[in-house]
Amino acid sequence: MTGEHRHEARRFCEDEYIDYVVYSYLSSIEGDEENRRILREMAEQEYRHYEFWKELVGSDCKVNVSRIRLAVLGFMRRIMGVTFTVKFLERHEKEVIESYKRFLEHLEGETRRRLEEIIEDEISHENYLISRINESIVRYLGFIALGLADAIVEITGVHAGFLGATATTLVAGVAGLIVGLSAAISMAAAAYLQAKHESSTTAPLPSAIATGIAYFFAVVTLALPYFITHSNILAFVASVMLAVALISIFVFYSSVINETSFRREIVENLGVLFGTAAAAYIFGDVLGRIFGIGDILALLA
């Protein structure tokens, strides 16, 4: 191998060793026995890959893995779940596989065959192991998404409608809570019936609870600014900013779990959010002018 190829092989070797250390650490803090076994198996696989590159380089490639990095990944595991953490770590695997395929051109014989086996491991075996990780939040991700997305769009639309109808923040905030909490109950019931009649791994009651809690959380979060300020415009802007933050966080989470494009998903979701808000504002403004709703609500407030 040339000096350039040897340097590239050392980088691969170091990356595989880091992955081994990371998965070993994650397995050590995992509470579920089956998930711990899968993480340990992934660590062992990464170590076998490391040993291949170590032999090719002709020297040890062990590098120190920062305790801060491990602590951050441990925190991510506890907050976001093991499935998200593992898939987040594996997001660069497509690039790694392409790099390995290019490196094959410089190998021959038994060494080439072993690298082909490693590539096969990266493509199929790791995906198989990840798919076997059992985590409740992933099974009910669709119901959580349903609750969050529907609540964010609906409550933002309600607040936008009242922005065009009244200048009273208390009325807009209470209206959002009333509509939102009623809808949360309705959505939870619908999720229960949907899970009950579908042949899936999701149970009806947890599906209803996941949908209802997600909806309730979004409703309260988006209504909060209306009880803090007396400016309807300021409250609406703050509420929309919270909506964007909630959508961004969840879309990023689901894009990692489902291995989809974050950019495409976030553009679509924000387009629906702002389109709904604009339509609701126009509708509320028209009704407010026709029926004088703003004046009536101001007197009641």
Side-chain angles (χ1 to χ4, degrees), residues 21-22 82 206 217 246 254:
V21 172
V22 166
V82 63
F217 172 76
L246 285 177
S254 61

Side-chain angles (χ1 to χ4, degrees), residues 139-169:
R139 292 201 305 272
Y140 296 101
L141 188 64
F143 291 97
I144 296 172
L146 177 65
L148 276 177
D150 195 77
I152 290 171
V153 172
E154 183 169 349
I155 302 309
T156 300
V158 169
H159 289 158
F162 273 84
L163 185 67
T166 180
T168 308
T169 55

Side-chain angles (χ1 to χ4, degrees), residues 104-142:
L104 273 175
E105 300 173 3
H106 313 296
L107 303 177
E108 57 185 21
E110 178 64 15
T111 306
R112 181 185 178 93
R113 186 191 65 77
R114 288 177 63 190
L115 181 53
E116 288 173 342
E117 289 180 355
I118 289 175
I119 292 172
E120 183 62 28
D121 278 349
E122 299 284 1
I123 294 173
S124 60
H125 192 205
E126 288 187 359
N127 289 335
Y128 169 69
L129 290 173
I130 293 172
S131 69
R132 291 176 61 193
I133 294 176
N134 183 27
E135 196 167 26
S136 296
I137 190 172
V138 176
R139 292 201 305 272
Y140 296 101
L141 188 64

Side-chain angles (χ1 to χ4, degrees), residues 12-13 15-17 19-21 23-24 37-53 90 93 97 100 114 117-130:
F12 294 152
C13 184
D15 287 345
E16 294 287 5
Y17 181 77
D19 288 345
Y20 157 70
V21 172
Y23 286 125
S24 297
R37 189 190 64 76
I38 292 171
L39 289 169
R40 193 182 300 121
E41 189 173 342
M42 293 181 71
E44 292 170 355
Q45 178 174 285
E46 298 295 353
Y47 193 80
R48 289 195 298 271
H49 297 173
Y50 154 73
E51 288 186 319
F52 166 80
W53 290 111
E90 294 291 320
E93 281 305 299
I97 291 169
Y100 284 5
R114 288 177 63 190
E117 289 180 355
I118 289 175
I119 292 172
E120 183 62 28
D121 278 349
E122 299 284 1
I123 294 173
S124 60
H125 192 205
E126 288 187 359
N127 289 335
Y128 169 69
L129 290 173
I130 293 172

Side-chain angles (χ1 to χ4, degrees), residues 11-300:
R11 179 169 58 83
F12 294 152
C13 184
E14 291 176 353
D15 287 345
E16 294 287 5
Y17 181 77
I18 290 172
D19 288 345
Y20 157 70
V21 172
V22 166
Y23 286 125
S24 297
Y25 172 74
L26 290 175
S27 70
S28 71
I29 65 172
E30 179 58 42
D32 182 87
E33 182 60 35
E34 178 62 17
N35 290 346
R36 186 188 305 123
R37 189 190 64 76
I38 292 171
L39 289 169
R40 193 182 300 121
E41 189 173 342
M42 293 181 71
E44 292 170 355
Q45 178 174 285
E46 298 295 353
Y47 193 80
R48 289 195 298 271
H49 297 173
Y50 154 73
E51 288 186 319
F52 166 80
W53 290 111
K54 183 179 72 171
E55 291 177 15
L56 197 62
V57 172
S59 62
D60 198 356
C61 308
K62 291 182 179 179
V63 292
N64 291 324
V65 181
S66 167
R67 290 186 177 181
I68 296 177
R69 179 177 182 177
L70 294 177
V72 169
L73 290 172
F75 179 77
M76 181 187 294
R77 156 66 190 95
R78 292 181 176 90
I79 300 300
M80 309 296 282
V82 63
T83 306
F84 174 87
T85 304
V86 171
K87 288 204 171 187
F88 180 80
L89 290 169
E90 294 291 320
R91 293 191 90 185
H92 70 296
E93 281 305 299
K94 290 183 179 179
E95 297 177 7
V96 171
I97 291 169
E98 291 303 315
S99 297
Y100 284 5
K101 287 180 178 178
R102 288 193 295 270
F103 200 86
L104 273 175
E105 300 173 3
H106 313 296
L107 303 177
E108 57 185 21
E110 178 64 15
T111 306
R112 181 185 178 93
R113 186 191 65 77
R114 288 177 63 190
L115 181 53
E116 288 173 342
E117 289 180 355
I118 289 175
I119 292 172
E120 183 62 28
D121 278 349
E122 299 284 1
I123 294 173
S124 60
H125 192 205
E126 288 187 359
N127 289 335
Y128 169 69
L129 290 173
I130 293 172
S131 69
R132 291 176 61 193
I133 294 176
N134 183 27
E135 196 167 26
S136 296
I137 190 172
V138 176
R139 292 201 305 272
Y140 296 101
L141 188 64
F143 291 97
I144 296 172
L146 177 65
L148 276 177
D150 195 77
I152 290 171
V153 172
E154 183 169 349
I155 302 309
T156 300
V158 169
H159 289 158
F162 273 84
L163 185 67
T166 180
T168 308
T169 55
L170 181 62
V171 171
V174 170
L177 286 177
I178 293 172
V179 172
L181 297 181
S182 300
I185 297 172
S186 175
M187 288 294 295
Y192 179 89
L193 294 174
Q194 178 182 341
K196 187 175 181 179
H197 290 92
E198 285 183 353
S199 175
S200 66
T201 57
T202 56
L205 186 57
S207 301
I209 293 174
T211 304
I213 290 177
Y215 206 109
F216 178 79
F217 172 76
V219 167
V220 173
T221 300
L222 300 187
L224 189 61
Y226 289 86
F227 299 96
I228 297 176
T229 178
H230 294 295
S231 169
N232 219 355
I233 294 293
L234 182 60
F236 180 71
V237 171
S239 184
V240 169
M241 290 176 65
L242 288 171
V244 171
L246 285 177
I247 287 177
S248 299
I249 292 170
F250 187 78
V251 167
F252 177 69
Y253 183 90
S254 61
S255 69
V256 171
I257 293 291
N258 298 319
E259 300 178 26
T260 56
S261 169
F262 171 75
R263 182 177 300 178
R264 184 180 67 251
E265 294 291 330
I266 194 65
V267 168
E268 289 178 0
N269 279 267
L270 292 181
V272 171
L273 175 69
F274 289 117
T276 302
Y281 172 77
I282 295 171
F283 186 66
D285 184 59
V286 170
L287 289 181
R289 293 177 184 277
I290 293 175
F291 298 105
I293 295 174
D295 295 334
I296 297 172
L297 291 176
L299 290 174
L300 293 175

